[in-house]
Amino acid sequence: HWAISLRDVTVRYPNGTVGLNGVSLDIPAGSMVAIVGLSGSGKSTLIRTINGLVPVTAGTLTVGGCAVDGARPRALRALRGEIGMVFQGFNLAGRASVLQNVLVGRLAHTPLWRTLIGRYRGSDKQLAYEALDSVGILPKLYARASDLSGGQQQRVAIARALTQQPKIVLADEPVASLDPPTAHSVMGDLRRINEERGITVLVNLHLLDLAREYGVRLIGMRAGEVVYDGPAASASDAD
Ligand code: ADP
Ligand code: ADP
């Protein structure tokens, strides 16, 4: 029941820029969706709106049956606990170890005193090990995050999201700063967590080829509007 639903959603930024213009979408739980469009087309606005980071100006947005807009802070925190985020720039603590970075995904589930003294539950560590293993980075457990390659850092970020045991993973241009072979393997990881764990994955991309190969459904955006919505494999540049 972790569907995402947008009805005529418009997002206008305080400076008047329109980020989304009347977007309607139904994304069932367990979907693998690639969102494609040029820079400025509204992809990251869409993702940040779903996560409640950017307010809806008009229309309705529900995630898991709950209205995101107008949600109380407590409800919004609970929602964000179910959504794992992956960013282009990895957003890791460079000086901290891989394990420490991944355990941050358990923060919402960990009593404050434990995080303050760095004592995590055995069950949390187990989740972290499993997540690191599933993206092939377990051998780097004690490495400093900043000593890893870009692809490895992005896998750590994906493991951190997995440790949250999310229903949804939102990835904003996760491979934009990676070389093509690394981009393919990171996209493969995202596809696998969708297939094996049934997690809904929404991934922003500016390369149509990657979207066609790893998306199941493709949403094309232009100037804040959805201009294509259909099977990824058959989407062409003309769409
Ligand atoms: P991308 O195109 O890769 O999504 P941008 O370079 O457009 O990223 O945006 C980078 C950051 O700058 C984002 O946090 C975005 O919210 C912000 N930003 C983008 N456009 C504007 C703007 N016109 N005014 C203020 N902030 C902006
Ligand atoms: P994309 O992710 O496809 O590059 P964005 O969602 O970042 O597109 O941007 C959509 C539009 O909203 C662009 O015109 C961008 O400049 C604008 N925008 C994005 N973030 C902000 C912001 N924080 N303030 C004002 N305008 C923004």
Side-chain angles (χ1 to χ4, degrees), residues 32-38 43 171 173-176 180 183-184 186-188 190-191 201-221 228 230-237:
M32 176 77 199
V33 183
I35 303 163
V36 185
L38 299 175
K43 305 182 296 296
E173 297 275 7
V175 301
H184 276 276
V186 167
M187 285 305 298
L190 289 172
R191 181 73 191 257
V201 175
L202 266 64
V203 50
N204 283 355
L205 296 164
H206 61 273
L207 296 175
L208 185 57
D209 286 348
L210 278 180
R212 266 199 295 253
E213 189 169 347
Y214 294 97
V216 171
R217 174 177 174 186
L218 189 147
I219 293 172
M221 300 202 60
Y228 178 88
S234 56
S236 75
D237 291 299

Side-chain angles (χ1 to χ4, degrees), residues 110-126:
T110 307
L112 184 60
W113 69 268
R114 280 187 179 268
T115 64
L116 287 176
I117 63 172
R119 279 182 62 103
Y120 286 85
R121 288 197 184 92
S123 56
D124 287 342
K125 285 192 193 157
Q126 196 55 40

